[in-house]
Amino acid sequence: MPPNEGFLAALRPALDLAAIPGKAEGMAAYMKSSMPFKGVPSPMVRQSVRELAKTHPFNSLAELAGTCMTLWNDAAHREERYAAIMLTDSRLGRGEQALLPFYTLVIETGQWWDFVDAVAPRICELLQKDRTLMEPLLRQWSQHNNLWFRRAAIISQLPAKNATDTQLLSDVIAVNTADKDFFIRKAIGWALRQYARSDPDWVRGYVAAHENLSPLSRREALKHLG
Protein backbone atom coordinates (compact mmCIF):
# COMPACT_ATOMS: atom_id res chain seq x y z
CA MET A 1 0.00 0.00 0.00
CA PRO A 2 1.27 3.55 -0.73
CA PRO A 3 2.69 5.45 2.25
CA ASN A 4 0.96 8.25 4.10
CA GLU A 5 2.01 11.09 1.82
CA GLY A 6 0.51 13.76 4.05
CA PHE A 7 2.61 12.63 7.01
CA LEU A 8 5.76 12.39 4.90
CA ALA A 9 5.27 15.85 3.39
CA ALA A 10 4.75 17.42 6.81
CA LEU A 11 7.56 15.70 8.71
CA ARG A 12 10.63 17.43 7.31
CA PRO A 13 9.24 20.97 7.79
CA ALA A 14 8.25 20.02 11.35
CA LEU A 15 11.75 18.74 12.10
CA ASP A 16 13.31 21.84 10.51
CA LEU A 17 11.17 23.97 12.80
CA ALA A 18 12.24 21.97 15.87
CA ALA A 19 15.94 21.94 15.01
CA ILE A 20 18.31 23.69 17.42
CA PRO A 21 21.01 25.69 15.59
CA GLY A 22 24.52 24.47 16.28
CA LYS A 23 23.41 21.15 17.79
CA ALA A 24 23.57 19.00 14.66
CA GLU A 25 27.35 18.79 14.42
CA GLY A 26 27.78 17.63 18.00
CA MET A 27 25.02 15.04 17.64
CA ALA A 28 26.69 13.59 14.54
CA ALA A 29 30.06 13.52 16.27
CA TYR A 30 28.66 11.74 19.33
CA MET A 31 26.90 9.14 17.20
CA LYS A 32 29.89 8.84 14.83
CA SER A 33 27.36 9.23 12.04
CA SER A 34 28.13 9.79 8.38
CA MET A 35 24.44 10.67 7.92
CA PRO A 36 23.93 14.28 9.06
CA PHE A 37 21.62 15.41 11.83
CA LYS A 38 19.21 18.31 11.71
CA GLY A 39 19.82 19.06 15.39
CA VAL A 40 16.47 17.90 16.81
CA PRO A 41 16.55 16.27 20.30
CA SER A 42 14.88 12.87 20.44
CA PRO A 43 11.92 14.00 22.61
CA MET A 44 11.12 16.68 20.05
CA VAL A 45 11.29 14.17 17.21
CA ARG A 46 8.83 11.97 19.09
CA GLN A 47 6.53 14.91 19.77
CA SER A 48 6.53 15.84 16.08
CA VAL A 49 5.77 12.24 15.08
CA ARG A 50 2.85 12.00 17.50
CA GLU A 51 1.34 15.34 16.49
CA LEU A 52 1.64 14.66 12.77
CA ALA A 53 0.17 11.16 13.16
CA LYS A 54 -2.91 12.82 14.64
CA THR A 55 -3.08 15.38 11.86
CA HIS A 56 -2.41 12.78 9.17
CA PRO A 57 -3.82 9.55 10.65
CA PHE A 58 -2.88 6.13 9.34
CA ASN A 59 -5.72 4.13 7.86
CA SER A 60 -4.13 0.69 8.01
CA LEU A 61 -1.14 -1.32 9.19
CA ALA A 62 -0.02 -1.63 5.57
CA GLU A 63 0.04 2.15 5.22
CA LEU A 64 2.05 2.44 8.42
CA ALA A 65 4.56 -0.17 7.24
CA GLY A 66 4.89 1.51 3.85
CA THR A 67 5.46 4.90 5.47
CA CYS A 68 8.16 3.50 7.77
CA MET A 69 9.94 1.85 4.86
CA THR A 70 9.75 4.96 2.67
CA LEU A 71 10.88 7.27 5.46
CA TRP A 72 13.80 5.02 6.34
CA ASN A 73 14.97 4.53 2.76
CA ASP A 74 14.56 8.17 1.70
CA ALA A 75 15.96 9.75 4.86
CA ALA A 76 18.46 12.56 4.40
CA HIS A 77 18.98 13.13 8.14
CA ARG A 78 19.24 10.74 11.04
CA GLU A 79 16.21 12.17 12.84
CA GLU A 80 14.03 11.05 9.93
CA ARG A 81 15.13 7.48 10.56
CA TYR A 82 14.41 7.90 14.25
CA ALA A 83 10.94 9.10 13.27
CA ALA A 84 10.40 5.99 11.14
CA ILE A 85 11.15 3.77 14.14
CA MET A 86 9.03 5.90 16.46
CA LEU A 87 6.02 5.42 14.18
CA THR A 88 5.98 1.73 15.07
CA ASP A 89 5.46 2.56 18.75
CA SER A 90 1.71 2.96 18.35
CA ARG A 91 -1.44 0.97 18.97
CA LEU A 92 -1.57 0.24 15.25
CA GLY A 93 1.99 -1.06 15.07
CA ARG A 94 2.88 -2.71 18.39
CA GLY A 95 3.19 -6.48 18.20
CA GLU A 96 2.43 -6.66 14.48
CA GLN A 97 4.45 -9.16 12.46
CA ALA A 98 3.86 -7.09 9.33
CA LEU A 99 6.51 -4.70 10.65
CA LEU A 100 9.18 -7.39 11.09
CA PRO A 101 10.63 -6.71 7.59
CA PHE A 102 11.05 -3.08 8.62
CA TYR A 103 12.82 -3.98 11.86
CA THR A 104 15.07 -6.34 9.91
CA LEU A 105 15.88 -3.52 7.48
CA VAL A 106 16.73 -1.20 10.36
CA ILE A 107 19.17 -3.68 11.86
CA GLU A 108 20.71 -4.69 8.54
CA THR A 109 21.23 -1.20 7.12
CA GLY A 110 21.33 0.93 10.27
CA GLN A 111 24.43 -0.84 11.56
CA TRP A 112 24.67 1.10 14.82
CA TRP A 113 23.52 0.86 18.41
CA ASP A 114 21.01 3.72 18.41
CA PHE A 115 18.92 2.11 15.67
CA VAL A 116 19.19 -1.45 16.99
CA ASP A 117 18.38 -0.47 20.56
CA ALA A 118 15.37 1.54 19.37
CA VAL A 119 13.73 -1.46 17.67
CA ALA A 120 14.51 -3.90 20.53
CA PRO A 121 11.25 -3.14 22.41
CA ARG A 122 9.27 -3.80 19.23
CA ILE A 123 11.08 -7.13 18.78
CA CYS A 124 10.16 -7.99 22.36
CA GLU A 125 6.49 -7.33 21.61
CA LEU A 126 6.65 -9.65 18.61
CA LEU A 127 8.22 -12.36 20.78
CA GLN A 128 5.56 -12.05 23.46
CA LYS A 129 2.80 -12.25 20.86
CA ASP A 130 4.18 -15.11 18.74
CA ARG A 131 6.92 -17.18 20.33
CA THR A 132 6.57 -19.93 17.74
CA LEU A 133 7.82 -17.57 15.05
CA MET A 134 10.19 -15.37 17.00
CA GLU A 135 12.12 -17.80 19.20
CA PRO A 136 13.71 -19.66 16.25
CA LEU A 137 14.37 -16.36 14.51
CA LEU A 138 16.12 -14.86 17.53
CA ARG A 139 18.25 -17.98 17.90
CA GLN A 140 19.27 -17.53 14.26
CA TRP A 141 20.01 -13.87 14.83
CA SER A 142 22.15 -14.71 17.85
CA GLN A 143 24.57 -16.51 15.52
CA HIS A 144 24.31 -14.06 12.62
CA ASN A 145 27.51 -12.92 10.91
CA ASN A 146 26.28 -9.34 11.41
CA LEU A 147 27.00 -8.31 15.00
CA TRP A 148 23.97 -6.01 15.10
CA PHE A 149 21.58 -8.92 14.63
CA ARG A 150 23.40 -10.67 17.46
CA ARG A 151 23.01 -7.60 19.67
CA ALA A 152 19.32 -7.41 18.76
CA ALA A 153 18.83 -11.03 19.81
CA ILE A 154 20.62 -10.50 23.14
CA ILE A 155 18.63 -7.41 24.14
CA SER A 156 15.34 -8.59 22.64
CA GLN A 157 13.79 -9.26 26.06
CA LEU A 158 14.79 -6.08 27.88
CA PRO A 159 11.18 -4.96 28.58
CA ALA A 160 9.87 -8.48 29.26
CA LYS A 161 10.39 -8.44 33.05
CA ASN A 162 8.77 -11.54 34.59
CA ALA A 163 7.76 -12.78 31.13
CA THR A 164 11.43 -13.22 30.20
CA ASP A 165 12.22 -16.60 28.69
CA THR A 166 15.37 -17.41 30.65
CA GLN A 167 16.24 -20.39 28.46
CA LEU A 168 16.17 -18.19 25.37
CA LEU A 169 18.15 -15.51 27.19
CA SER A 170 20.76 -18.07 28.25
CA ASP A 171 21.01 -19.50 24.74
CA VAL A 172 21.49 -16.22 22.89
CA ILE A 173 24.11 -15.16 25.43
CA ALA A 174 25.95 -18.51 25.37
CA VAL A 175 26.79 -18.33 21.66
CA ASN A 176 28.17 -14.81 22.10
CA THR A 177 30.07 -15.05 25.38
CA ALA A 178 33.45 -15.38 23.66
CA ASP A 179 32.81 -12.45 21.33
CA LYS A 180 35.30 -9.67 21.98
CA ASP A 181 33.22 -6.88 20.47
CA PHE A 182 32.34 -4.12 22.94
CA PHE A 183 28.74 -3.82 21.77
CA ILE A 184 28.12 -7.53 22.23
CA ARG A 185 29.73 -7.69 25.67
CA LYS A 186 27.84 -4.58 26.74
CA ALA A 187 24.57 -6.07 25.44
CA ILE A 188 25.08 -9.26 27.45
CA GLY A 189 25.64 -7.30 30.64
CA TRP A 190 22.70 -5.03 29.91
CA ALA A 191 20.33 -7.93 29.29
CA LEU A 192 21.34 -9.61 32.53
CA ARG A 193 21.23 -6.37 34.52
CA GLN A 194 17.73 -5.63 33.28
CA TYR A 195 16.44 -9.09 34.17
CA ALA A 196 18.05 -8.74 37.61
CA ARG A 197 15.33 -6.18 38.35
CA SER A 198 12.82 -9.06 38.15
CA ASP A 199 14.87 -12.00 39.41
CA PRO A 200 18.16 -10.97 41.02
CA ASP A 201 18.85 -14.47 42.36
CA TRP A 202 18.65 -15.97 38.86
CA VAL A 203 21.14 -13.42 37.54
CA ARG A 204 23.50 -13.93 40.48
CA GLY A 205 23.37 -17.67 39.88
CA TYR A 206 23.89 -17.29 36.15
CA VAL A 207 26.93 -15.06 36.57
CA ALA A 208 28.42 -17.35 39.21
CA ALA A 209 27.97 -20.38 36.94
CA HIS A 210 29.50 -18.72 33.86
CA GLU A 211 33.08 -17.81 34.64
CA ASN A 212 33.72 -17.22 30.94
CA LEU A 213 31.66 -14.02 30.94
CA SER A 214 33.82 -11.03 30.05
CA PRO A 215 34.66 -8.61 32.87
CA LEU A 216 32.51 -5.99 31.16
CA SER A 217 29.49 -8.27 30.91
CA ARG A 218 29.94 -9.45 34.49
CA ARG A 219 30.32 -5.92 35.83
CA GLU A 220 27.24 -4.68 33.98
CA ALA A 221 25.16 -7.69 35.05
CA LEU A 222 25.89 -7.20 38.74
CA LYS A 223 25.89 -3.40 38.67
CA HIS A 224 22.88 -2.93 40.95
CA LEU A 225 23.13 -6.16 42.93
CA GLY A 226 25.81 -5.12 45.38
Side-chain angles (χ1 to χ4, degrees):
M1 184 173 180
N4 186 330
E5 297 292 354
F7 179 92
L8 292 175
L11 180 64
R12 285 181 179 174
L15 293 178
D16 288 339
L17 189 63
I20 299 175
K23 196 173 183 66
E25 186 175 345
M27 293 171 73
Y30 172 75
M31 203 55 66
K32 300 179 181 178
S33 175
S34 59
M35 176 177 281
F37 279 81
K38 285 179 177 287
V40 186
S42 184
M44 297 177 72
V45 177
R46 186 174 295 278
Q47 180 179 345
S48 296
V49 168
R50 287 176 174 170
E51 290 177 354
L52 291 178
K54 292 178 181 178
T55 307
H56 306 278
F58 290 84
N59 296 313
S60 67
L61 178 59
E63 185 182 49
L64 177 65
T67 304
C68 292
M69 286 285 195
T70 299
L71 187 52
W72 179 270
N73 288 324
D74 295 349
H77 293 84
R78 207 169 184 93
E79 290 96 335
E80 294 165 31
R81 288 193 156 181
Y82 292 157
I85 297 172
M86 289 173 183
L87 273 175
T88 66
D89 184 15
S90 63
R91 283 182 293 178
L92 185 60
R94 293 188 204 108
E96 294 295 338
Q97 294 293 345
L99 288 168
L100 181 57
F102 172 67
Y103 303 141
T104 304
L105 176 70
V106 170
I107 298 168
E108 185 173 18
T109 61
Q111 295 284 303
W112 202 237
W113 63 266
D114 56 338
F115 294 138
V116 175
D117 295 3
V119 299
R122 309 286 80 79
I123 298 296
C124 185
E125 290 162 358
L126 297 185
L127 174 64
Q128 298 303 318
K129 190 171 181 178
D130 190 348
R131 293 183 179 274
T132 302
L133 171 68
M134 292 303 297
E135 282 189 29
L137 180 63
L138 290 173
R139 293 180 195 280
Q140 291 176 17
W141 283 8
S142 72
Q143 301 183 67
H144 204 286
N145 56 10
N146 183 327
L147 76 90
W148 299 109
F149 279 98
R150 299 200 302 276
R151 181 177 172 95
I154 294 166
I155 64 173
S156 63
Q157 297 192 81
L158 286 179
K161 299 182 180 178
N162 290 329
T164 297
D165 181 336
T166 54
Q167 186 60 59
L168 177 61
L169 178 61
S170 298
D171 291 347
V172 299
I173 288 176
V175 294
N176 287 283
T177 302
D179 197 307
K180 298 184 182 301
D181 186 271
F182 169 83
F183 291 104
I184 296 298
R185 291 185 168 188
K186 187 79 170 181
I188 291 172
W190 185 15
L192 291 170
R193 184 179 77 238
Q194 189 69 11
Y195 186 53
R197 299 177 185 274
S198 299
D199 193 340
D201 290 338
W202 187 92
V203 173
R204 286 192 184 95
Y206 183 90
V207 171
H210 293 80
E211 296 182 357
N212 58 339
L213 282 174
S214 72
L216 173 59
S217 297
R218 182 179 298 273
R219 184 168 62 251
E220 287 294 317
L222 301 176
K223 193 170 186 177
H224 301 302
L225 295 182

